[in-house]
């Protein structure tokens, strides 16, 4: 049973949310370990200061208090700046996410309206097509236009053949000095004026190279292509004139049944949908950028961490901890030994936590990569109109397996999207199923109803002109399709000039609604 494309899109969004939750969970684990390490570092620093206070009376208490307070204030200042930056980015991220949710709701609402308009458009297309089939003037003009197109096609073929023949054969005439000499003398025409021995020699030369025979061929190659080109242009004008009358009737019928208004509204809604999807893509990109910046602040490589670490190292170096620890071991007082033991334990714990930090950071980066990749695929799905009623898949299991494969690292996001795109398809429109037996999309920017009506006229023409030759049907159908294709630029311009809706991808073709 086919699964609607909107469910594929919903599943992708759900998997994206899961990936984001997984990323957040790993980040929380990382932050918990990182806080523990920070606590150990702080306690180790405090222990060093405690040792200095206890064991070194020659270092003034006031000096130590002043130094510790100084570094503590600096670190708090750095931490405060980091927290403010995090809060600002978190606020921006929440605003982006709220905007994304709002845009997704708007996109879904417009998509629902578009799907309703598609259903209405299909109904009215059938009504309009039936009215055109019953319109005697339309049928007569359509058949005349198809006949004119067939003649135009034949003339175009002859024109191409003559042009190709002239290109191949004229160089031989032009490179023959004897033939060109007689041509310049206008031999064999009333304009030839030479007499006496020259005239006799020219006659002998003409017989030798069969000039009269070649002259006729040369004149055909130089004159006939222009004449045929003129005939092609004349027939093209006749064809366009007939098609303009055919299209005018189609416009009138479309207006009468309400199809024009539906197309107009569909194009407007389609443009709105396209604009909203573009805005959604931009907001998702901005949110992803902020997420990356926010993640960067949580890592040890962040600018705030590097600044605090550098300052703290300088503080510890200034305190000369190794000297303090060495002196403590030389005394018999057990208090300083306990402090040194505590410092050693804390140092060891800090060292032991580093592999966990590295592991969790790696997991977080991997989860972030998966989240970003799924976000990319969701954006592609939104841009590809997976929420169209015509979009579906019969292989949801394959899509889910491919998503699992991506999550496990077996493929990248581009391969995932390409694989999903191969598993989805858009049902052909009513016109596509009735006009093109192979389901080929009609990609011309004109009304699809016209194609349907012309196809009907083509079949009628076959039964009237050659009922015993079924093979003629494909010839006439091909002519009907070429007629629409030939008129595409003019029809588009005419519709724009008349302020009529001009069908586009966003409402009338296989790749959209």
């Amino acid at each position: 049973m086919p699964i609607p494309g909107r469910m594929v899109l919903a599943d992708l969004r759900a998997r994206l949310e899961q990936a984001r939750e997984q990323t957040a969970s790993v980040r929380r684990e990382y932050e918990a370990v990182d806080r523990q390490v920070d606590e150990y570092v702080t306690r180790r620093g405090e222990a060093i200061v405690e040792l200095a206070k206890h064991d070194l009376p020659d270092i003034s208490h006031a000096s130590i208090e002043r130094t510790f307070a100084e570094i503590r204030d600096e670190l708090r200042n750095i931490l405060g700046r980091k927290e403010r930056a995090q809060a600002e980015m978190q606020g921006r991220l929440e605003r982006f996410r709220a905007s994304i949710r709002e845009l997704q709701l708007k996109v879904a609402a417009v998509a629902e309206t578009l799907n309703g308009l598609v259903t209405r458009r299909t109904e009215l297309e059938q009504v309009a097509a039936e009215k055109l089939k019953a319109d005697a003037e339309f049928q007569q003009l359509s058949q005349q236009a198809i006949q004119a197109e067939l003649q135009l096609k034949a003339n175009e073929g002859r024109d191409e053949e003559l042009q190709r023949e002239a290109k191949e054969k004229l160089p031989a005439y032009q490179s023959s000095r004897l033939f060109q000499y007689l041509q310049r003398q206008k031999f064999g025409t009333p304009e030839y004026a030479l007499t006496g021995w020259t005239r006799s020699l020219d006659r002998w030369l003409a017989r030798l190279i069969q000039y009269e025979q070649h002259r006729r061929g040369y004149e055909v190659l130089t004159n006939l292509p222009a004449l045929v080109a003129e005939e092609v242009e004349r027939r093209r004008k006749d064809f366009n004139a007939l098609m303009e009358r055919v299209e005018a009737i189609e416009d009138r019928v479309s207006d009468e049944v309400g199809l024009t208004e539906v197309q107009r509204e569909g194009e407007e809604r389609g443009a709105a949908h396209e604009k909203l999807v573009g805005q959604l893509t931009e907001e998702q990109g901005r949110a992803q950028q902020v997420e990356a910046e926010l993640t960067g602040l949580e890592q040890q490589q962040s600018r705030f961490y590097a600044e605090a670490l550098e300052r703290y190292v300088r503080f510890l170096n200034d305190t000369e901890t190794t000297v303090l620890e060495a002196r403590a071991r030389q005394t018999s007082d057990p208090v300083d030994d306990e402090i040194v033991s505590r410092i050693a334990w804390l140092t060891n714990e800090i060292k032991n936590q580093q592999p966990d930090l590295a592991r969790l950071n790696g997991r977080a980066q991997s989860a972030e990569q998966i989240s970003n990749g799924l976000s990319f695929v969701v954006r592609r799905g939104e841009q590809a109109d997976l929420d169209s009623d015509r979009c579906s898949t019969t292989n949801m299991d394959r899509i889910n397996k491919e998503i699992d494969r991506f999550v496990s690292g077996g493929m990248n996001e581009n391969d995932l999207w390409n694989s999903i795109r191969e598993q989805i398809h858009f049902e052909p429109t009513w016109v596509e199923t009735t006009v093109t037996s192979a389901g080929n999309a009609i990609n011309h920017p004109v009304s699809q109803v016209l194609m349907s009506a012309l196809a009907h006229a083509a079949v009628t023409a076959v039964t009237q002109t050659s009922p015993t030759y079924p093979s003629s049907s494909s010839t006439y159908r091909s002519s009907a399709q070429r007629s629409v294709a030939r008129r595409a630029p003019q029809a588009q311009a005419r519709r724009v000039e008349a302020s009529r809706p001009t069908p586009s991808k966003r409402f009338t073709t296989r790749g959209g609604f």
Side-chain angles (χ1 to χ4, degrees):
M1 181 178 177
I3 303 297
R6 68 171 66 89
M7 292 187 65
V8 176
L9 190 57
D11 187 59
L12 284 169
R13 286 170 174 162
R15 296 294 289 267
L16 173 58
E17 287 303 314
Q18 291 175 6
R20 285 174 173 167
E21 290 174 2
Q22 177 65 21
T23 301
S25 175
V26 176
R27 283 295 173 197
R28 285 193 293 271
E29 289 185 55
Y30 175 87
E31 290 168 6
V33 176
D34 192 49
R35 283 194 299 271
Q36 183 67 61
V37 171
D38 285 344
E39 181 185 348
Y40 288 156
V41 170
T42 300
R43 287 168 58 187
R44 182 178 181 276
E46 291 172 348
I48 290 174
V49 174
E50 182 182 351
L51 177 62
K53 290 179 179 180
H54 173 78
D55 200 48
L56 292 177
D58 55 321
I59 298 178
S60 70
H61 181 78
S63 177
I64 293 176
E65 284 292 333
R66 185 171 59 254
T67 303
F68 180 74
E70 179 180 338
I71 188 63
R72 184 173 56 194
D73 289 343
E74 285 189 47
L75 293 179
R76 285 175 176 172
N77 180 53
I78 294 171
L79 179 61
R81 286 191 285 114
K82 174 188 174 182
E83 290 175 343
R84 286 193 296 275
Q86 285 177 307
E88 189 272 334
M89 287 184 184
Q90 191 65 45
R92 286 169 56 198
L93 182 59
E94 290 302 321
R95 289 193 294 273
F96 282 135
R97 286 178 174 171
S99 177
I100 288 170
R101 289 191 294 270
E102 183 179 353
L103 284 169
Q104 286 176 336
L105 290 175
K106 290 181 178 179
V107 168
V110 175
E112 184 177 357
T113 301
L114 273 172
N115 284 319
L117 288 170
V118 169
T119 301
R120 183 59 178 157
R121 182 193 68 202
T122 301
E123 296 170 352
L124 294 178
E125 282 175 341
Q126 297 179 42
V127 173
E130 291 302 318
K131 287 180 72 69
L132 290 174
K133 291 175 185 177
D135 190 302
E137 182 184 7
F138 178 87
Q139 291 298 310
Q140 180 183 5
L141 289 172
S142 295
Q143 292 174 24
Q144 290 176 4
I146 290 172
Q147 291 291 347
E149 197 282 331
L150 287 170
Q151 293 171 348
L152 174 59
K153 179 67 175 175
N155 285 134
E156 287 175 337
R158 179 58 178 154
D159 183 38
E160 291 175 2
E161 181 182 351
L162 286 172
Q163 295 289 349
R164 183 172 59 254
E165 190 174 355
K167 185 177 182 180
E168 293 173 354
K169 296 181 178 180
L170 277 177
Y173 289 101
Q174 295 165 347
S175 63
S176 173
R177 289 180 295 175
L178 297 177
F179 180 82
Q180 288 298 319
Y181 162 75
L182 293 176
Q183 275 289 107
R184 288 193 300 272
Q185 301 304 326
K186 298 183 179 180
F187 184 84
T189 69
E191 289 82 9
Y192 181 75
L194 299 178
T195 60
W197 280 102
T198 303
R199 190 180 188 93
S200 298
L201 287 172
D202 286 350
R203 287 175 179 171
W204 173 81
L205 177 60
R207 288 193 299 271
L208 177 66
I209 67 173
Q210 297 180 320
Y211 174 73
E212 283 300 324
Q213 177 183 347
H214 290 305
R215 182 171 65 87
R216 288 192 294 271
Y218 181 74
E219 290 177 350
V220 167
L221 292 174
T222 54
N223 298 325
L224 189 57
L227 295 175
V228 173
E230 290 180 5
E231 180 64 12
V232 168
E233 186 59 29
R234 185 187 69 81
R235 289 194 179 278
R236 183 175 291 117
K237 290 180 179 178
D238 291 343
F239 164 77
N240 283 327
L242 285 168
M243 284 298 295
E244 285 179 2
R245 296 173 66 186
V246 167
E247 290 163 0
I249 297 175
E250 188 258 348
D251 286 346
R252 174 175 56 78
V253 170
S254 294
D255 293 344
E256 290 175 356
V257 302
L259 178 59
T260 301
E261 187 56 35
V262 168
Q263 288 176 329
R264 192 187 309 279
E265 185 177 357
E267 288 302 319
E268 292 174 355
R269 296 286 185 173
H273 183 270
E274 191 173 326
K275 182 178 179 181
L276 285 170
V277 169
Q279 292 174 347
L280 179 59
T281 300
E282 290 178 2
E283 289 293 274
Q284 289 169 333
R286 295 190 186 103
Q288 188 171 340
Q289 183 178 359
V290 173
E291 282 180 324
E293 293 175 3
L294 194 56
T295 299
L297 288 181
E298 300 296 339
Q299 298 175 349
Q300 287 191 354
Q301 292 80 13
S302 77
R303 64 182 188 275
F304 293 107
Y305 184 87
E307 182 182 351
L309 183 62
E310 179 185 5
R311 184 65 190 91
Y312 199 73
V313 167
R314 288 205 314 269
F315 166 71
L316 293 178
N317 287 337
D318 292 343
T319 311
E320 297 181 358
T321 56
T322 56
V323 175
L324 296 177
E325 292 173 355
R327 287 204 179 176
R329 285 193 296 269
Q330 294 173 2
T331 69
S332 58
D333 190 343
V335 175
D336 57 0
D337 292 332
E338 185 276 330
I339 297 174
V340 169
S341 176
R342 199 184 334 143
I343 291 172
W345 182 85
L346 289 167
T347 301
N348 190 58
E349 286 299 308
I350 293 169
K351 181 179 179 181
N352 291 339
Q353 294 284 7
Q354 296 308 310
D356 287 341
L357 281 174
R359 176 180 56 81
L360 289 170
N361 188 53
R363 284 180 55 195
Q365 290 181 351
S366 177
E368 190 76 26
Q369 187 175 5
I370 292 171
S371 177
N372 291 340
L374 288 173
S375 179
F376 166 84
V377 174
V378 167
R379 290 198 302 273
R380 288 295 179 271
E382 291 166 343
Q383 293 166 353
D385 296 330
L386 294 193
D387 47 354
S388 167
D389 275 351
R390 294 195 298 120
C391 178
S392 64
T393 181
T394 57
N395 205 346
M396 192 66 187
D397 288 341
R398 172 70 182 277
I399 292 176
N400 285 327
K401 288 179 180 178
E402 294 293 71
I403 296 174
D404 291 338
R405 185 180 166 201
F406 166 76
V407 171
S408 64
M411 64 194 313
N412 61 38
E413 60 265 29
N414 283 303
D415 291 339
L416 174 60
W417 169 240
N418 289 333
S419 178
I420 291 174
R421 188 168 54 183
E422 290 174 359
Q423 303 305 319
I424 62 173
H425 67 280
F426 284 81
E427 292 295 329
T429 63
W430 165 75
V431 175
E432 290 168 345
T433 58
T434 56
V435 175
T436 54
S437 58
N440 296 323
I442 302 171
N443 292 320
H444 313 302
V446 297
S447 171
Q448 297 180 350
V449 172
L450 180 59
M451 175 65 82
S452 175
L454 282 175
H456 174 78
V459 174
T460 304
V462 171
T463 58
Q464 292 177 348
T465 58
S466 54
T468 59
Y469 295 95
S471 61
S472 300
S473 176
S474 61
T475 300
Y476 278 73
R477 282 179 177 270
S478 296
S479 176
Q481 293 183 3
R482 285 196 306 271
S483 296
V484 174
R486 289 179 187 276
R487 288 291 300 169
Q490 297 94 327
Q492 181 83 338
R494 178 179 59 82
R495 287 173 176 270
V496 171
E497 184 178 356
S499 298
R500 298 184 65 82
T502 54
S504 65
K505 170 191 176 299
R506 53 194 176 220
F507 184 59
T508 56
T509 63
R510 181 184 296 276
F513 285 86

